[in-house]
Amino acid sequence: MPARPMKLGLNIVANGAHAAGWRMPGARTDAAMDIRFWQEMARAAERARFHFMFWADGIAVRHSARDDDELSYNARIDVFEPLTVIGALSAVTEHLGFVASASTTYNEPYHIARKFASLDYVTRGRVGWNVVTSWSEQEAFNFGRDAHMEHGLRYRRAEEFVDVVFGLWDSWEDDAFIRDKASGRYFDPAKLHTLNHRGEVFAVKGPLNVARPLQGYPVIAQAGSSGPGQDLGGRIADLIYTAQKSRDDAIAFYASVKRQGEVAGRAPGAMLVMPGVLPIMGRTRQEAQDRFAQLQALVHPALGLPTLRDTYGDLSHLPPDGPLPSPLEGSNALKSAHQSIVRLGNQPGMTIRKLYQIMAGASGHNISVGTPADIADVMQDWFENGGCDGWNILVPFLPEPAYEIFDWLVPELQRRGLVATEYAGDGTLRGSLGLARPAFRSRGRR
Ligand SMILES: Cc1cc2nc3c(=O)[nH]c(=O)nc-3n(C[C@H](O)[C@H](O)[C@H](O)COP(=O)(O)O)c2cc1C
């Protein structure tokens, strides 16, 4: 077992992480709603010793298309609700962890605390919560709002939301349920800590009607890269997800996150930074380049242009092979993504088409094109030079590239001694990631 094994997550995007991937020859076009397919993927990811599958989510059909006609080119429409699918996937696996996104903006903390606590038991300690504030405006429209909550307010709500959830998970001490037949007492009342929370946004009495989660708290992931995003992540997250385009940006981000954690009094090893990577592989470099070119050429303008709309406005009247106009001011959706799109847009020789092909390709994540050894070189380089603790690997389309990741890339990483060949720990996701189980902390008020 390597001293510091690289952590591996499989970042699931239904129908493939490359937005045009589903159009590739041999690609499944109906993977999104096929539970048997995902069960097979989960078993294969477990055989490859992935630490977890990550299911991103939003509570809407999320898009920036102008109208239904433009939207009809988007293949990220019909997707499973992650907690539901994770229940089914955990039943056919033993070690693989499952991280699901759930929004603090369009949920109530009691719902989230209860669902993740239940799922922690259903998976036998293998679940994680990716705390998101939701980036898409469409979610607002499904929850009685005319507009998305402002970015700063979303994070203020998120801060209180997670405190309430943690408090609810600590409703009961680990050994509160004595279930004593002789005396007739089911739990020890001294070990019940009713939350009685009254804050700026939430009033939640508690206690939770689920025992303290098996992992203490499910693994907590966070992906906000803005100032408030990093503050929240630094305070609470075990896993930090991020989209980093370059090695230098990744190293700077890594240092900043670890500093943030230190300010919040956390050990550097308590937070694992896991950027995304979208490998486009071939047995030879030429094969990989050809596959990449084929994928990029399949990005229809109706699919590509909306990916730039939040940053540049409507570009459909401009020549696609011409330069980009000035960007719009800021963005209420994804502040960090806005900045990184603008940085790419400013690169010499960048055109509207090239930029939307990049964005449709990996939603801002690092695209790595080459042989398994080439991809492993990049992963190793960032990992060994302060850029990451592991990787969230995106699969461009399904299923072939997923099997190539399991059968070519992972063995290459194993040969280099970078990843483990067996699961470590006590069978929980915290255990396999080497993360401590949070001690019980009473937050209850009488
Ligand atoms: C790898 C990764 C996965 C994400 N998954 C989700 C998700 O599933 N749902 C969601 O609403 N936002 C998701 N986000 C968006 C983040 O939660 C966050 O809103 C975004 O990074 C912008 O953060 P910022 O506003 O702090 O810059 C994800 C971001 C990254 C980098």
Side-chain angles (χ1 to χ4, degrees):
M1 170 80 64
R4 174 186 163 240
M6 183 187 278
K7 309 299 186 290
L8 293 183
L10 192 68
N11 188 338
I12 299 301
V13 183
N15 293 329
H18 191 292
W22 66 280
R23 299 178 66 197
M24 286 291 277
R28 286 279 308 258
T29 55
D30 57 350
M33 294 274 115
D34 184 347
I35 185 60
R36 283 183 201 232
F37 174 76
W38 292 113
Q39 287 181 325
E40 172 47 31
M41 275 294 118
R43 281 191 293 251
E46 183 164 85
R47 283 195 296 274
R49 305 293 182 251
F50 268 73
H51 292 87
F52 59 83
M53 247 184 179
F54 162 50
W55 288 76
D57 195 47
I59 323 175
V61 170
R62 299 180 292 176
H63 67 90
S64 303
R66 226 174 6 201
D67 50 32
D68 291 351
D69 186 59
E70 197 175 66
L71 179 63
S72 67
Y73 290 83
N74 189 326
R76 292 183 189 150
I77 304 291
D78 49 340
V79 291
F80 279 135
E81 188 287 309
L83 301 192
T84 312
V85 75
I86 286 170
L89 300 182
S90 69
V92 297
T93 48
E94 283 289 319
H95 303 280
L96 184 67
F98 297 95
V99 179
S101 295
S103 172
T104 54
T105 304
Y106 303 111
N107 275 297
E108 287 290 322
Y110 200 97
H111 284 130
I112 292 298
R114 182 170 190 232
K115 288 178 187 178
F116 277 91
S118 297
L119 207 50
D120 206 41
Y121 281 92
V122 170
T123 60
R124 296 177 309 282
R126 291 183 286 143
V127 78
W129 172 29
N130 180 32
V131 178
V132 299
T133 60
S134 292
W135 54 261
S136 89
E137 177 123 63
Q138 279 90 7
E139 292 176 64
F141 308 149
N142 291 337
F143 293 89
R145 289 175 174 269
D146 298 329
H148 200 13
M149 196 182 290
E150 187 273 323
H151 187 265
L153 279 181
R154 293 207 299 275
Y155 273 109
R156 285 237 310 270
R157 178 181 164 105
E159 291 278 354
E160 188 178 333
F161 193 112
V162 293
D163 285 341
V164 173
V165 170
F166 289 3
L168 287 169
W169 285 336
D170 282 329
S171 291
W172 308 92
E173 293 183 36
D174 287 306
D175 55 355
F177 291 93
I178 49 175
R179 304 182 182 101
D180 183 17
K181 281 188 176 171
S183 67
R185 238 197 235 284
Y186 190 71
F187 69 86
D188 177 351
K191 297 190 172 176
L192 162 61
H193 300 256
T194 302
L195 185 61
N196 284 312
H197 173 87
R198 274 195 175 274
E200 192 187 331
V201 184
F202 301 108
V204 181
K205 184 167 190 317
L208 194 65
N209 56 350
V210 184
R212 190 160 192 265
L214 277 178
Q215 297 182 96
Y217 302 166
V219 169
I220 302 295
Q222 213 274 330
S225 291
S226 62
Q230 285 195 40
D231 284 346
L232 177 64
R235 184 167 76 85
I236 61 150
D238 302 300
L239 304 179
I240 304 279
Y241 290 159
T242 176
Q244 298 293 330
K245 273 279 176 217
S246 78
R247 175 186 193 271
D248 288 351
D249 286 351
I251 291 171
F253 178 80
Y254 186 91
S256 158
V257 165
K258 298 275 164 158
R259 241 190 339 268
Q260 212 80 29
E262 220 174 281
V263 171
R266 310 195 46 215
M271 294 158 65
L272 304 171
V273 178
M274 300 185 65
V277 61
L278 179 82
I280 312 282
M281 269 189 293
R283 272 163 294 228
T284 62
R285 286 191 184 154
Q286 191 57 50
E287 198 177 88
Q289 286 296 347
D290 291 348
R291 182 184 259 182
F292 185 48
Q294 196 179 1
L295 275 163
Q296 298 299 75
L298 287 172
V299 180
H300 193 284
L303 176 64
L305 285 171
T307 65
L308 305 183
R309 196 157 285 143
D310 284 349
T311 311
Y312 291 98
D314 188 6
L315 301 178
S316 53
H317 56 288
L318 294 173
D321 296 310
L324 288 132
S326 306
L328 306 173
E329 285 293 308
S331 156
N332 183 34
L334 289 124
K335 286 209 188 294
S336 43
H338 181 88
Q339 286 155 9
S340 81
I341 297 172
V342 171
R343 261 203 308 278
L344 279 173
N346 288 340
Q347 284 183 0
M350 188 56 76
T351 64
I352 292 174
R353 192 192 310 272
K354 279 191 203 160
L355 189 59
Y356 76 55
Q357 285 179 337
I358 295 171
M359 292 315 297
S363 323
H365 288 284
N366 179 35
I367 303 180
S368 198
V369 185
T371 63
D374 291 335
I375 315 281
D377 283 346
V378 173
M379 294 173 74
Q380 179 167 9
D381 180 37
W382 290 30
F383 178 66
E384 290 181 344
N385 291 289
C388 67
D389 297 301
W391 292 91
N392 230 338
I393 302 184
L394 296 126
V395 188
F397 60 93
L398 297 156
E400 210 49 42
Y403 288 116
E404 293 166 6
I405 288 165
F406 303 145
D407 298 339
W408 301 352
L409 181 59
V410 170
E412 178 64 32
L413 297 168
Q414 286 173 341
R415 264 193 296 281
R416 298 180 186 204
L418 293 167
V419 296
T421 52
E422 287 307 327
Y423 283 100
D426 57 358
T428 67
L429 179 56
R430 280 190 180 278
S432 87
L433 290 169
L435 296 167
R437 183 178 191 273
F440 173 84
R441 180 182 146 198
S442 176
R443 297 161 196 252
R445 283 174 231 143
R446 299 266 163 201

